[in-house]
Amino acid sequence: QSEPTAQLMRIAPTGIVDANIIQSVSGGFAQIRVEAFEVSADGRFVAVQTSDWQLAANDLPDTNDSSDVYLLDTLQGGITRVSVAGGAEITEPTYLHDLWVDSTSVQVLMTTDAALVSPTRLDTNSADLNGPLGSRTDLYLWQDAFDGTQLSNSPQITLQSIDRTGVASGYVNTDFGAEITSNGIFFSSDSETI
C-alpha cells in the first residue's frame, strides 16, 4: 500500500476554494509530494520544491531524482521549473527558501550545491566535489519580469552568495533559510570570506 500524499489546497472564510492547487494548475497530474512551498501574498503564484518528475515540461524532463523548484501560476495555469542552469537540468538537489512578487517581477530564492549561473566563472566552488561539507552550497535568485498580468518568460538567475573576491562563497546555512524583502535579501552564511 502506497503512502498518502498531502494535497496543497487553498481555503477562504467561506470554505475550500481549491482542493488541489497542483492538479488544478497542471491539468490533472497525479498527486505529487510537496517538500516545501511558498505562496505570493495574493495567492496567484506558488513556488514548490519537489522530487517528483511530473511537473517538468516534456522538452526538459526531470530525470535527476532530486529536489527541484517550480513556479506555478494559478491564474494563467503555467508551470515553470526554476532550478535549471542555462536551460539544462542539474543533478544536485535545489532547496526553496522564498517567493517575492511585486508589480515588476516574480523572484524565487533557492540554494543548491550546483552552479546555476551561466557563465559559471563566478561559481568555481561547485566544481570542487571533494571540498568540505557546505563549501559548495550557494544562494541563487531566479527572477522574471512581470507586468501584473503575465511573466516575460525571460528569466535570469543570479548568484547571491558572493565573497569579497567576487566569486561564490559557499557555506550558505540552509537551516536558517533566506528571505527576500523590499530592503534586500537576507541569509545566513558560515563563510569567512563574505
Side-chain angles (χ1 to χ4, degrees):
Q1 183 177 8
S2 65
E3 190 174 310
T5 303
Q7 297 175 165
L8 190 56
M9 56 193 326
R10 178 177 15 199
I11 63 170
T14 57
I16 295 175
V17 175
D18 191 338
N20 191 326
I21 293 170
I22 293 173
Q23 280 190 348
S24 296
V25 172
S26 68
F29 286 130
Q31 295 281 14
I32 69 165
R33 181 175 169 267
V34 174
E35 299 162 354
F37 72 94
E38 294 284 336
V39 181
S40 62
D42 66 358
R44 175 174 177 174
F45 292 99
V46 179
V48 296
Q49 172 189 317
T50 182
S51 299
D52 198 299
W53 59 269
Q54 297 179 80
L55 293 180
N58 290 336
D59 59 345
L60 184 59
D62 182 357
T63 61
N64 64 12
D65 200 28
S66 62
S67 297
D68 287 294
V69 176
Y70 296 86
L71 179 69
L72 285 66
D73 182 341
T74 64
L75 185 63
Q76 301 280 344
I79 300 172
T80 304
R81 182 159 44 160
V82 301
S83 55
V84 294
E89 181 174 50
I90 59 171
T91 58
E92 299 290 336
T94 304
Y95 302 99
L96 173 65
H97 289 283
D98 203 9
L99 170 66
W100 178 270
V101 179
D102 60 27
S103 62
T104 62
S105 69
V106 174
Q107 303 174 25
V108 178
L109 200 56
M110 56 197 163
T111 54
T112 185
D113 288 353
L116 286 180
V117 290
S118 182
T120 58
R121 61 183 159 75
L122 292 176
D123 193 350
T124 56
N125 62 351
S126 292
D128 183 9
L129 301 178
N130 297 316
L133 184 64
S135 65
R136 298 184 311 139
T137 306
D138 283 304
L139 185 69
Y140 296 91
L141 179 70
W142 176 96
Q143 62 183 0
D144 198 2
F146 178 59
D147 65 7
T149 306
Q150 61 186 11
L151 295 169
S152 73
N153 291 318
S154 298
Q156 296 181 349
I157 296 178
T158 53
L159 177 66
Q160 300 299 304
S161 51
I162 300 173
D163 71 11
R164 291 185 290 265
T165 65
V167 298
S169 67
Y171 297 103
V172 172
N173 192 326
T174 58
D175 292 336
F176 293 109
E179 290 190 31
I180 307 167
T181 73
S182 58
N183 290 318
I185 293 173
F186 291 79
F187 67 98
S188 175
S189 174
D190 295 327
S191 174
E192 297 177 1
T193 61
I194 290 186

